[in-house]
Amino acid sequence: MNATSTGALLLCRADPETVRPLAHLLREQMLLTRVGGEWSVLVPEGKPWRGTGPGGGDPEPVDRVLGGWATALAVGSTWPVLALWWDGDRAGYTLAAGFRRTVGYIWLADGTPVGEDEAMRTFAARLGLDPVLDLQALEELTRPDPESDAEARLRGLLAVLTRTGLTLPPGLGPGESADRLRSVAGVQRGAERIEWAGWRDAVRVELDAVEAGGLGPWVRGPRARAIAAAQLAAGLPLLLWGVRRRSGGWAAAGAVLLAQGALGLAYHRAREAAERS
């Protein structure tokens, strides 16, 4: 791989209709399309890792940007988010699932593994992969292999995920440039553009997602209030930490948590007011 082949994908284990509301809250322009029976992919239209970070600092590495986005999506959902990224020096993944600690792995450009073996075991467990056959294939990716570069390692990871129904079309995979990924995603059947349309529309799509999703029974009552309070308590320090570290990804994660907590409390109060009137 070379410096021009920097690219990134966000693989969500949910259908596009479920992913769309939360994707809006990232406040980034992306393309969303289905890539299998229970998988969707978000492809960034821009290249935030090439611009300056918050506050005018140095550009953020692509893995940090993608990790923040994956975390932001996962904390507001019941489905895991897998961020894949690659540049001229390294390639790797970050898996985010709910409030649990993210797990990731990195390979150098020549395929040298520099992650921890435990990451692959956690990866397999959180995605419900076969603890014998799939895990064996994943562990092969952590062993030295002079014939496999970083791009090949990521393709091997995706090959395991095809058993869960993931099907990436040609041209939408490791080693491709951000421009190529965007053009391929844009011509897929059912592809749609995700754009930030302001907080009013964000509130609307968030409430629609809550009412239509499997968490419907959890949006009201003591449990809903406790979850919203926890999101507010966790979101504020995470947002402040992200701003201090000039990390747009982690700041976005904190902002999403704050938004989810505030919306949860607001929704609960609005429903109670509507019932009293």
Side-chain angles (χ1 to χ4, degrees):
M1 294 185 294
N2 53 55
T4 63
S5 65
T6 301
L9 298 171
L10 283 169
L11 297 171
C12 306
R13 200 168 187 179
D15 57 50
E17 291 73 20
T18 303
V19 174
R20 185 188 305 113
L22 287 177
H24 278 281
L25 296 177
L26 291 179
R27 303 179 69 175
E28 296 283 344
Q29 291 186 339
M30 297 189 177
L31 289 168
L32 171 65
T33 189
R34 186 184 297 273
V35 284
E38 59 180 53
W39 286 91
S40 302
V41 65
L42 285 164
V43 180
E45 287 203 274
K47 303 170 186 175
W49 47 86
R50 289 189 177 179
T52 55
D58 294 333
E60 289 191 78
V62 62
D63 58 320
R64 187 181 300 175
V65 174
L66 267 289
W69 286 347
T71 300
L73 288 171
V75 295
S77 67
T78 58
W79 29 268
V81 182
L82 176 63
L84 299 181
W85 54 268
W86 53 91
D87 59 24
D89 300 317
R90 306 174 303 157
Y93 73 80
T94 300
L95 177 66
F99 287 94
R100 289 180 288 186
R101 182 178 62 87
T102 59
V103 60
Y105 203 90
I106 295 174
W107 294 272
L108 300 183
D110 63 2
T112 301
V114 292
E116 298 181 1
D117 292 349
E118 181 61 30
M120 287 299 188
R121 289 188 284 272
T122 304
F123 177 88
R126 290 186 183 175
L127 288 178
L129 302 178
D130 188 287
V132 179
L133 296 179
D134 290 341
L135 182 57
Q136 183 180 9
L138 291 172
E139 289 179 337
E140 286 291 331
L141 302 175
T142 68
R143 296 168 185 151
D145 183 356
E147 302 299 322
S148 295
D149 60 10
E151 180 182 334
R153 300 286 195 171
L154 281 183
R155 286 201 304 267
L157 184 83
L158 291 170
V160 174
L161 293 181
T162 59
R163 300 170 193 169
T164 68
L166 176 67
T167 55
L168 288 175
L172 198 65
E176 301 289 353
S177 68
D179 292 335
R180 169 66 172 164
L181 295 173
R182 184 176 63 249
S183 63
V184 171
V187 299
Q188 299 305 307
R189 182 177 181 181
E192 58 182 296
R193 179 170 282 103
I194 300 295
E195 294 183 293
W196 174 250
W199 284 108
R200 178 176 296 179
D201 284 344
V203 170
R204 177 181 55 78
V205 296
E206 176 68 11
L207 294 181
D208 288 346
V210 170
E211 292 178 353
L215 292 180
W218 293 78
V219 299
R220 299 189 61 198
R223 290 180 179 177
R225 287 195 298 269
I227 291 173
Q231 288 174 323
L232 289 172
L236 181 59
L238 185 59
L239 174 61
L240 294 176
W241 184 86
V243 171
R244 286 198 301 268
R245 294 289 298 273
R246 295 181 177 179
S247 173
W250 290 109
V256 169
L257 276 174
L258 283 174
Q260 290 250 313
L263 288 172
L265 292 177
Y267 181 79
H268 188 274
R269 291 170 183 169
R271 290 282 289 169
E272 286 187 333
E275 288 180 356
R276 288 196 299 267
S277 61

